[in-house]
Amino acid sequence: MTGLTKISVSVIFLFLSLSLLAGCGSSTKEAGPEAEAGIAHIGFTECYNCHADAKNPASFPVAFGDSNLGPGKEGWLNGPHGNNESYNTTTHQKYDIYPDNTGFPFYAFFSDSTCATCHDPLGDGKRISKFFIATGVDKLGRVDRPVIGCESCHGPGGNHYGLGPMPYPKPDFNRCGQCHNNTFPANHLPFHPEGDNILENYKASGHAKSINSHTYVSGSTTDVRARCSRCHTDEGAKRYITAVSGTADYNTIKSILDPLPNILNASNVQCRTCHDGHNTLRLLGEKDTTLPLTWSAEFKTCTTCHQLLKADGTLQDRGYHTPYDKSGTQVNPFGSIEEIIADTHYDDPSTPQCAGGNCATGDFVAGTGGIEGYIVNPSGNHNGLPGNQNQGICSDCHNPHNSDLSIHKQWARSAHGGHILEKKEGATNVYTASVTRDDAPGWVYYNWKRSGRAACQRCHTSTGFRNFANSPSTYNPANNFFIATQGQSELLYCWACHTDNVGGLRDPGQLTFVYTNNATVTYPDVEGSNICMACHTGRETGDSIKNDPDADGIRSFINSHYLAAGGTVFTTTGYEYTGRNYNNVTFYAHDKIGLPAAPGTGTNGPCVGCHMISDNSHLFMPVEKDESTDTITSITSKICIKCHTGNFALTPAKLNQEKHEYEAALEVLKAALASKGIFFRNAFPYFFVDTNGNGILEPTETIAYTNWAGPYGFTYWKDTMGAAFNLNLLIHDPGGFAHNRFYVKALIWDSIDFIDNGNLDHSVPSTITALTADPDNLDTTIDSATAAAASAYLGNSRPGDPNRP
């Protein structure tokens, strides 16, 4: 468990309203909790008589807050439990009509009596109007509204009145769990998508087990050393938060905290540790309000313990648990890479070097730069700032109530994460280990943020993708304001696809793409897979060539672009030759997976159905492979076995064979094109001229092929480029043999059939024979093993439905 495993065993949830009323401390006799039996509830308006701002003894916290003036707004009244806001019932937009706020929900909005169980458990809200009439005090409001009053969390106050104990002077997670548990209504999730299972998740999390044998005072099982208590206990976090900043280094933390008192009878980190008890939106770490640093309360709360940055905003590589710093010097001999996040959550903005030294106008220079980690925007805090900034820098990706990192580790091993975790695990210095353009060209190859790459941002940056997925019809790259700076690059982060940290998806809806020369494709609505289709359909289609107005066939290659699996599944992307049938065969079903037409295969369309219904969903792979040999070793998708059973059962051996034959068929097409002077190299612009004339494309031969009319005249130049287009398309869809085996076979067959002699005359078997030669390293021939594999894949007649020509 390294790299992103530390991501946030951490990230304490900073945003939803957990109830967490801390004890009022009005009496030294409050030593409970006592049993609640037989104690009367007195109502929160009685609490107000002692605990309101105007009457507040100095020893009391600001429990209620001021409803309309200054700093007092952080009290209970203006928090979620005080419900002191009105909402438009149609748009749910908040508006303030103090002191006549009805709150939201308001009583008339309750669907049934069970709403009151959590929204007004003691009927306190129905005391407001009577209190106003009796006292003339309108600070609590003038009209009734549902509220969660003091006794809901502290227990009945009948024995209190400043003299006796409250049952729960310091409510713990169990009090919060009265409502924040797995009974959270499903119809509330659209309002609070991260609000379900909070208590259960917390109990299973590392936060609920923050005290361990390493933290205790020697010989004790109840008392925690001051140094450890700062982050491992609820009491220490609050007592020592001002003693030492979360930005401090190991030596500073040790020297300041060691002399301080230990925490006796310590309790684990819990709800009240991070959330203010009276206004749960107020957090342990307070937001910066002055420049140049404006760190959000969420960021400061999490990094109080999960150290990331120094006070000046640079990498904190000497945090408390850090074993060694960026220079390799030992910091804490008992520290562990497993216990820090600074190795994976900081991307050095100075490492990428851009052409001409100007990242605003230039791309990256090959062999320089890279991505050292996740880019963090410390100002992000779910506050709705414009520009699609990262709004909840920690909780955008992490659910701190459960602190489960399984999905995050999968992502960090995936192509979307640039395989960064593998880089970190194999590094001698985790701080400098980086993802380069060789590892993840889709994220690092160019400086995607610069204006000259605006068309690329939709798929090659998280910011661009999020903005596109939010509204494809209004997407404008000019509105992409990146969290990445200078030469930094964004991987495809959680918040690009997800709206929250519990799996909510953005919804671009049914997609229509208009390609070059007005070639237009409308894809079916495939639910959650629309997210995948947004990028995995290529940037051009075969019709981009067919619609091209060029009259003489001398022009640059039209690039299909890459990983266009969605277009393969739905038979839209390839260059389709006139007179040939490319419709899916009648028994083809991959385009129905995850849709009503294929019950039992999920509900989010074919991409999600095949690639994400597995125990390792965020690797985005339906199979496991031996990376050193690219051999499939197991099938991990749980959907494949729904249909592929009996004689049609899939095995790794069958997939490896078909994969090998697919690649062999593409080698035949490559050789057939080369025999006509059109040589492929897997580097832009992909097709080149053999200027040496020796049948081998040498590394020094870099002249792009542009005379597409060369083999068969300008009348057929589009069919010639179409064959090249299909080769490039399918080489860059390495799983094409599984995505739609019949469509890709038809494209390969027809491309070979045309390019060998300029006619569609089913001459593919004879062409394979003609291209076969003893291994001689010529690009214009294939060896006998490749010929045999290609023949096995393509057969002796055009693949597909018997009714096809």
Side-chain angles (χ1 to χ4, degrees):
M1 186 172 97
T2 59
L4 288 181
T5 64
K6 295 83 51 182
I7 286 182
S8 89
V9 169
S10 93
V11 191
I12 306 166
F13 194 46
L14 322 166
F15 150 56
L16 284 181
S17 59
L18 276 184
S19 67
L20 186 144
L21 292 155
C24 60
S26 65
S27 169
T28 58
K29 296 181 181 180
E30 288 189 309
E34 290 184 354
E36 297 183 59
I39 305 176
H41 288 95
I42 61 174
F44 89 117
T45 54
E46 291 295 319
C47 304
Y48 177 82
N49 286 328
C50 284
H51 293 278
D53 296 347
K55 300 179 180 180
N56 216 352
S59 61
F60 286 175
V62 181
F64 280 87
D66 193 308
S67 58
N68 62 352
L69 297 175
K73 286 181 73 81
E74 61 240 359
W76 169 88
L77 183 64
N78 290 281
H81 294 159
N83 192 19
N84 193 29
E85 294 286 354
S86 288
Y87 284 76
N88 181 293
T89 57
T90 301
T91 66
H92 297 155
Q93 294 299 303
K94 184 187 299 185
Y95 65 93
D96 194 353
I97 55 172
Y98 169 83
D100 294 318
N101 286 321
T102 57
F104 186 82
F106 45 89
Y107 284 115
F109 196 76
F110 279 13
S111 59
D112 56 57
S113 60
T114 60
C115 298
T117 302
C118 281
H119 284 287
D120 195 357
L122 300 178
D124 279 326
K126 294 183 179 180
R127 297 173 180 265
I128 295 174
S129 61
K130 294 177 183 177
F131 179 77
F132 167 64
I133 293 170
T135 65
V137 174
D138 66 0
K139 286 187 177 295
L140 296 181
R142 297 173 183 167
V143 297
D144 292 342
R145 66 179 185 279
V147 297
I148 300 164
C150 313
E151 293 171 290
S152 298
C153 298
H154 288 285
N159 290 352
H160 182 47
Y161 285 104
L163 299 175
M166 293 291 293
Y168 305 102
K170 295 182 179 180
D172 66 4
F173 60 90
N174 288 304
R175 299 301 290 169
C176 306
Q178 294 177 99
C179 289
H180 297 283
N181 56 42
N182 59 10
T183 64
F184 193 84
N187 61 2
H188 282 36
L189 291 174
F191 300 102
H192 301 293
E194 299 161 4
D196 198 10
N197 290 299
I198 289 178
L199 176 65
E200 292 75 16
N201 286 336
Y202 164 75
K203 287 182 175 180
S205 76
H207 292 147
K209 307 173 187 66
S210 58
I211 299 173
N212 55 57
S213 59
H214 299 290
T215 63
Y216 286 124
V217 175
S218 179
S220 175
T221 58
T222 58
D223 305 337
V224 173
R225 290 177 293 160
R227 193 200 309 180
C228 301
S229 72
R230 173 67 170 72
C231 284
H232 286 268
T233 73
D234 167 58
E235 296 84 0
K238 289 178 286 191
R239 181 181 298 181
Y240 296 137
I241 186 172
T242 57
V244 58
S245 167
T247 65
D249 62 20
Y250 170 77
N251 290 332
T252 301
I253 293 170
K254 186 174 182 293
S255 62
I256 291 178
L257 292 180
D258 274 351
L260 298 180
N262 299 322
I263 298 295
L264 307 182
N265 297 312
S267 55
N268 287 309
V269 169
Q270 54 188 288
C271 315
R272 69 188 185 210
T273 308
C274 298
H275 293 275
D276 180 277
H278 296 109
N279 185 336
T280 58
L281 299 182
R282 188 177 181 190
L283 302 172
L284 180 70
E286 296 184 5
K287 178 182 178 180
D288 290 318
T289 57
T290 58
L291 296 173
L293 294 179
T294 54
W295 293 358
S296 72
E298 177 177 311
F299 179 79
K300 292 184 74 174
T301 298
C302 296
T303 59
T304 289
C305 293
H306 302 282
Q307 295 175 277
L308 181 59
L309 302 179
K310 298 177 183 177
D312 63 1
T314 58
L315 175 68
Q316 176 50 280
D317 60 339
R318 297 184 64 83
Y320 183 78
H321 281 286
T322 306
Y324 58 85
D325 63 17
K326 193 171 181 178
S327 70
T329 302
Q330 185 182 80
V331 177
N332 182 346
F334 302 104
S336 168
I337 293 300
E338 306 255 346
E339 298 171 335
I340 66 173
I341 65 169
D343 62 329
T344 55
H345 283 60
Y346 183 83
D347 183 37
D348 189 341
S350 66
T351 49
Q353 298 179 22
C354 303
N358 188 335
C359 290
T361 59
D363 284 325
F364 299 152
V365 178
T368 64
I371 299 175
E372 288 86 7
Y374 184 102
I375 299 172
V376 170
N377 171 18
S379 67
N381 62 357
H382 282 296
N383 58 8
L385 291 173
N388 282 282
Q389 297 180 44
N390 194 7
Q391 297 297 296
I393 189 58
C394 302
S395 56
D396 269 343
C397 290
H398 298 282
N399 180 346
H401 296 127
N402 65 17
S403 305
D404 182 10
L405 299 177
S406 301
I407 284 178
H408 305 88
K409 290 188 287 184
Q410 292 167 21
W411 170 85
R413 296 183 188 281
S414 76
H416 287 171
H419 309 288
I420 191 170
L421 187 53
E422 294 166 8
K423 280 285 190 177
K424 296 295 183 177
E425 289 177 334
T428 56
N429 188 313
V430 293
Y431 297 106
T432 57
S434 66
V435 173
T436 67
R437 65 192 299 172
D438 292 331
D439 307 310
W443 313 119
V444 192
Y445 200 86
Y446 295 117
N447 179 20
W448 308 108
K449 304 190 310 299
R450 72 179 183 89
S451 59
R453 296 286 173 192
C456 309
Q457 293 167 8
R458 171 168 69 83
C459 290
H460 291 276
T461 70
S462 283
T463 299
F465 182 81
R466 174 170 61 182
N467 294 353
F468 175 83
N470 281 343
S471 179
S473 62
T474 61
Y475 171 70
N476 183 350
N479 296 327
N480 291 335
F481 300 100
F482 301 96
I483 61 167
T485 63
Q486 301 178 47
Q488 291 177 311
S489 298
E490 298 175 356
L491 298 168
L492 192 70
Y493 300 138
C494 311
W495 48 265
C497 299
H498 291 287
T499 57
D500 52 58
N501 58 41
V502 291
L505 281 174
R506 301 191 189 282
D507 183 15
Q510 186 174 13
L511 294 165
T512 295
F513 293 113
V514 180
Y515 303 106
T516 300
N517 302 320
N518 289 318
T520 302
V521 176
T522 296
Y523 288 96
D525 187 345
V526 286
E527 304 298 334
S529 290
N530 290 330
I531 286 282
C532 313
M533 297 286 289
C535 287
H536 290 285
T537 50
R539 288 298 303 273
E540 301 290 356
T541 178
D543 285 348
S544 300
I545 299 173
K546 289 187 175 183
N547 295 350
D548 195 282
D550 189 281
D552 60 8
I554 299 177
R555 57 150 298 147
S556 59
F557 176 63
I558 295 177
N559 179 17
S560 57
H561 218 63
Y562 322 114
L563 301 178
T568 304
V569 169
F570 290 102
T571 66
T572 59
T573 310
Y575 183 89
E576 300 177 358
Y577 286 86
T578 302
R580 290 288 170 90
N581 180 5
Y582 295 91
N583 294 328
N584 278 326
V585 295
T586 55
F587 50 87
Y588 176 75
H590 285 186
D591 56 347
K592 301 175 183 65
I593 292 172
L595 298 172
T601 61
T603 59
N604 274 313
C607 309
V608 173
C610 285
H611 285 261
M612 298 191 70
I613 308 299
S614 72
D615 293 333
N616 295 298
S617 60
H618 282 70
L619 289 176
F620 310 104
M621 291 292 289
V623 298
E624 286 184 352
K625 295 195 297 183
D626 181 333
E627 297 300 331
S628 63
T629 62
D630 198 38
T631 300
I632 296 168
T633 57
S634 66
I635 300 170
T636 57
S637 173
K638 296 179 180 180
I639 294 299
C640 298
I641 59 173
K642 297 282 186 179
C643 299
H644 294 280
T645 59
N647 293 333
F648 301 99
L650 288 180
T651 65
K654 286 183 180 180
L655 286 178
N656 282 317
Q657 179 180 351
E658 189 157 359
K659 176 175 176 287
H660 171 64
E661 292 174 353
Y662 172 68
E663 292 167 348
L666 290 173
E667 286 297 315
V668 171
L669 176 54
K670 187 190 302 183
L673 283 161
S675 70
K676 304 303 177 184
I678 308 168
F679 287 75
F680 176 84
R681 176 188 294 135
N682 200 5
F684 186 82
Y686 300 106
F687 293 96
F688 298 87
V689 177
D690 173 23
T691 53
N692 292 331
N694 61 357
I696 302 172
L697 185 64
E698 307 285 357
T700 55
E701 296 178 291
T702 58
I703 297 176
Y705 188 90
T706 57
N707 184 19
W708 300 100
Y712 302 114
F714 67 84
T715 301
Y716 299 104
W717 78 262
K718 294 179 180 179
D719 287 345
T720 299
M721 183 186 281
F725 181 93
N726 286 339
L727 174 66
N728 187 59
L729 171 74
L730 298 179
I731 280 180
H732 292 108
D733 182 8
F737 67 94
H739 294 138
N740 193 335
R741 66 179 61 184
F742 298 106
Y743 184 60
V744 300
K745 286 181 180 181
L747 292 177
I748 296 170
W749 175 283
D750 291 343
S751 297
I752 297 170
D753 195 12
F754 172 81
I755 203 64
D756 59 5
N757 60 10
N759 291 298
L760 295 173
D761 54 3
H762 300 282
S763 54
V764 173
S766 59
T767 298
I768 293 175
T769 300
L771 293 172
T772 306
D774 293 330
D776 52 11
N777 295 320
L778 292 180
D779 293 333
T780 54
T781 63
I782 56 174
D783 58 39
S784 57
T786 299
S791 296
Y793 187 69
L794 295 173
N796 292 319
S797 60
R798 187 173 186 268
D801 191 299
N803 295 325
R804 286 181 171 178

